Amino acid sequence: MPPGTLQAAPALTTIATPTLWLVAIAGLVLLLALDLLLTRRPHEVRMREAAGWSVFYLVLPVIFGCYLWADHGGGVAVEFFTGFVVEKSLSVDNLFVFMLLLAAFAVPPALARQVLLYGIVGALVLRGVFIWLGAAALQSGTWAFLLFGAILIVTAGKILKDVLGGHEQQVDISNMRSVRLVRRFVPVTDDYRGSRLAVREGGRLALTPLALAAVAVLGTDIVFAVDSVPAVYGVTEDPFLVFATNAFALMGLRALYFVLQGVLTKLRHLNHGLSVILAFIGVKLVLHWAHGVWDWMPQIPTLASLGVIVAVLTTVTLTSLYANRRDREKEAAS
């Protein structure tokens, strides 16, 4: 093929039969229904409860990965586990933003779980749309790999620039477009009204701050989807596996929030690692596109990707722990 020739992408292949899609979606709806049932009675989530649900949502993808290994081979299972690790690592960073949002809206601890559930349901819907759009883009031509790669590399550069510049993540509610849009059309009460999203005041419908918090979380979900969906498509081109990795990572996000609530701020080098991971997957996608144009261009195997991602996450965790210990020693010495 002459250099620079644009190659049409082959039809995307998937391991999913209509039955597997139906079972997966039914299982997801069942878990969401169970969560909604438990959330109807607002309560402050204790560590034991959060840890139990976190373990449950970690065991589920392991079982699913073992099924993939037995039924579809090790290659498919490795793609799933790699995509899941990528999504989970990005989710941990997302949790820090959720923590800032809940603090900015002064969400009572008993209602935090409900707000996070609304955000997760919205995120699942948004991810489904982005996954479908991503699959359509990949089927239209190999240029989509170049586009996805560029998005991830630019995002990685922005994250690294913010980290090196010492800019901490902040949330300014007054400047959030989603919140300003809601307030422009609907009045908002000054205080929370239990778990209610809307009430009637003076014969008019008014939203509560709980509804605004849910809208803000949903708004951030849109930004997260722009990064996470291309990142997983950098690991696997199977839309079903992309959907499964997103679903498993998101479903365990709420319980993980309460487990890591006091730990997130201590992972001071997490964004360094995420910038490296996103840049690495971006380069992987660009190389994949280039290989379709020039056969001699190398590609990065999925198993090697998994090794790099795990190594980066392990490194930033260890360096964060070391930096925290060094700061404590300095404070003790002074």
Side-chain angles (χ1 to χ4, degrees), residues 33-304:
L34 178 62
D35 257 348
L36 284 170
L37 183 64
L38 294 174
T39 311
R40 287 180 62 185
R41 183 179 62 84
H43 67 284
E44 187 172 348
V45 179
R46 303 295 181 185
M47 176 60 72
R48 184 175 180 180
E49 178 186 355
W53 280 107
S54 294
V55 171
F56 173 74
Y57 281 118
L58 284 176
V59 169
L60 280 183
V62 171
I63 294 174
F64 184 74
C66 291
Y67 154 73
L68 291 177
W69 196 298
D71 208 52
H72 299 282
V76 171
V78 169
E79 286 184 7
F80 168 75
F81 282 123
T82 304
F84 177 73
V85 171
V86 169
E87 277 300 303
K88 209 64 179 176
S89 60
L90 291 172
S91 296
V92 171
D93 189 50
N94 299 352
L95 284 179
F96 188 68
V97 177
F98 289 161
M99 184 186 300
L100 294 176
L101 281 172
L102 267 61
F105 279 100
V107 177
L111 298 177
R113 182 172 178 171
Q114 186 174 347
V115 174
L116 292 172
L117 180 59
Y118 292 146
I120 288 169
V121 172
L124 285 169
V125 174
L126 289 170
R127 300 292 171 90
V129 173
F130 274 82
I131 289 167
W132 177 79
L133 291 174
L138 291 177
Q139 284 185 304
S140 68
T142 56
W143 61 268
F145 291 111
L146 184 60
L147 174 63
F148 287 174
I151 290 173
L152 295 180
I153 291 172
V154 170
T155 302
K158 182 180 181 301
I159 293 174
L160 188 60
K161 180 182 177 182
D162 289 342
V163 169
L164 296 179
H167 302 301
E168 297 182 356
Q169 286 179 308
Q170 296 178 342
V171 172
D172 185 358
I173 294 174
S174 61
N175 286 328
M176 294 188 69
R177 293 180 181 178
S178 56
V179 173
R180 284 190 299 174
L181 183 63
V182 171
R183 279 181 168 159
R184 181 178 300 176
F185 295 101
V186 185
V188 181
T189 63
D190 294 329
D191 56 349
Y192 285 87
R193 306 294 174 86
S195 60
R196 299 174 69 180
L197 297 174
V199 294
R200 282 204 169 272
E201 283 194 342
R204 294 183 61 192
L205 182 69
L207 297 179
T208 67
L210 186 67
L212 286 188
V215 169
V217 170
L218 183 60
T220 60
D221 284 335
I222 297 174
V223 179
F224 295 151
V226 173
D227 299 333
S228 65
V229 172
V232 182
Y233 268 121
V235 174
T236 176
E237 298 173 34
D238 188 331
F240 177 76
L241 292 182
V242 176
F243 169 78
T245 56
N246 273 267
F248 279 119
L250 287 171
M251 287 304 297
L253 192 61
R254 192 161 54 123
L256 192 62
Y257 171 88
F258 296 102
V259 172
L260 297 181
Q261 197 167 8
V263 180
L264 287 176
T265 54
K266 297 179 181 179
L267 294 176
R268 57 205 296 178
H269 296 155
L270 176 62
N271 280 347
H272 294 78
L274 292 179
S275 66
V276 173
I277 290 172
L278 290 177
F280 171 76
I281 298 176
V283 171
K284 182 178 186 292
L285 282 168
V286 172
L287 287 175
H288 184 71
W289 166 80
H291 182 77
V293 180
W294 302 284
D295 293 339
W296 53 269
M297 290 294 291
Q299 295 196 82
I300 301 174
T302 303
L303 194 58

